C-alpha cells in the first residue's frame, strides 16, 4: 500500500530521528532524514516531500532561519518540533510560515494526526473551484457553503464535516472515519460527537434523519452525502 505522506525529518538528534522514522513508518508514512539544516534544504529541493518536520535546534543553522529559507523556495507544509515549550518565538514561527508545531516529547499518534491535518488543509486548498453536489455549492478556500444559493451558517466543524462528505459524495463514510479524519481522534472518543454534528448539519440543510435529502444514514455503516433524486 502506498504511503500516506513523504515526510522529511530535519533533526540532529540521532535517537529522536530514528524513533520518528520508526513511528512514522509504522503509520504508513515514508521518511527521509537530514541531520543538519543545509542537508535538509538540499534534500527538500532534490526530492520535495509532502511535509517537513523541522527541529528548531540544529547544529549549523537555527531552525527558524531554515524555515525562512524553505518558505522562500516552497509552500511545502512545515511542522516545527521544538523542545522550547515556553518559547515566545512560537507565534513568530507560525507567522514565519510554520503550519503547526509540537513540543517534545510528544506521542507518535499526535504527530500522525497533525501530519494528516496539515495534509488535508493543503490538499483542500489545491482543489480548484467549489465542489457542487446537487444544490449544494461548497467553496473550500472561502470556507463557505451555499444551498440553493442561500449561504449556510455553519460552525467550523460543521463545515469541515460537510466538506469531507462532499469530497466523497456518493460514498458511504463510517463514523469512525469521520471521527479520525474530521476530529483527529483516530482512537475513539465519543461517537456521539459525530451524531450531534450530523444532527445540526441536517437541520441547517433543512432536512431530518427521517426525511433526508442530502445526508443519508446507512444503518450500521455510516453516512452518505448525495444529491436528492
Ligand atoms: Ca536538536
Amino acid at each position: 500500500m502506498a504511503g500516506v505522506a513523504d515526510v522529511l525529518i530535519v533533526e540532529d538528534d540521532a535517537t529522536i530521528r530514528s524513533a520518528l522514522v520508526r513511528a512514522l513508518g509504522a503509520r504508513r508514512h515514508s521518511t527521509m532524514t537530514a541531520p543538519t539544516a543545509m542537508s535538509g534544504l538540499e534534500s527538500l529541493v532534490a526530492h520535495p516531500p509532502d511535509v517537513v518536520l523541522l527541529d528548531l535546534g540544529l547544529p549549523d543553522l537555527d531552525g527558524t532561519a531554515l524555515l525562512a529559507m524553505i518558505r522562500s523556495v516552497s509552500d511545502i507544509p512545515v511542522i516545527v518540533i521544538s523542545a522550547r515549550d515556553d518559547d515566545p518565538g512560537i507565534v513568530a514561527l507560525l507567522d514565519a510560515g510554520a503550519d503547526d508545531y509540537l513540543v517534545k516529547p510528544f506521542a507518535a499518534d499526535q504527530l500522525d494526526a497533525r501530519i494528516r491535518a496539515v495534509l488535508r488543509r493543503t490538499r483542500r486548498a489545491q482543489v480548484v473551484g467549489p465542489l457542487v453536489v446537487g444544490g449544494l455549492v461548497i467553496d473550500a478556500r472561502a470556507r463557505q457553503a451555499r444551498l440553493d444559493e442561500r449561504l449556510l451558517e455553519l460552525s467550523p466543524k460543521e463545515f469541515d464535516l460537510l466538506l469531507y462528505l462532499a469530497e466523497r459524495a456518493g460514498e458511504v463514510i463510517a463514523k469512525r472515519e469521520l471521527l479520525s479524519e474530521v476530529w483527529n481522534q483516530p482512537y475513539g472518543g465519543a461517537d456521539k460527537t459525530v451524531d450531534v454534528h450530523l444532527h445540526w448539519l441536517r437541520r441547517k440543510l433543512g432536512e431530518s434523519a427521517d426525511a433526508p435529502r442530502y445526508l443519508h444514514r446507512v444503518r450500521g455503516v455510516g453516512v452518505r452525502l448525495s444529491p436528492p433524486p
Side-chain angles (χ1 to χ4, degrees), residues 11-13 16 55-59 104:
E11 165 67 77
D12 60 320
D13 184 316
I16 296 176
D55 175 36
L56 281 191
L58 294 167
K104 295 179 206 172

Side-chain angles (χ1 to χ4, degrees), residues 98-147:
D99 293 85
D100 205 345
Y101 71 92
L102 278 167
V103 176
K104 295 179 206 172
F106 48 81
D109 288 332
Q110 200 185 357
L111 174 61
D112 184 42
R114 299 291 179 95
I115 289 173
R116 288 166 182 275
V118 158
L119 285 178
R120 269 199 303 280
R121 288 201 292 271
T122 31
R123 283 174 185 165
R124 244 173 231 167
Q126 286 163 357
V127 171
V128 180
L131 281 163
V132 179
V133 181
L136 264 175
V137 179
I138 301 153
D139 186 333
R141 286 191 189 210
R143 290 188 63 82
Q144 282 186 347
R146 287 171 195 277
L147 175 59

Side-chain angles (χ1 to χ4, degrees), residues 78-101:
V78 175
I79 300 175
V80 168
I81 45 181
S82 168
R84 311 171 193 173
D85 57 340
D86 55 355
D87 190 343
I90 278 173
V91 171
L93 279 169
L94 294 174
D95 283 345
D99 293 85
D100 205 345
Y101 71 92

Side-chain angles (χ1 to χ4, degrees), residues 22-62:
R22 270 197 310 278
L24 293 177
R27 287 161 183 80
R28 307 208 338 269
H29 301 291
S30 55
T31 51
M32 294 168 284
T33 62
T36 63
M38 290 323 291
S39 62
L41 194 60
E42 278 165 21
S43 173
L44 179 139
V45 171
H47 308 283
D50 296 316
V51 186
V52 179
L53 296 187
L54 176 60
D55 175 36
L56 281 191
L58 294 167
D60 53 338
L61 195 65
D62 190 81

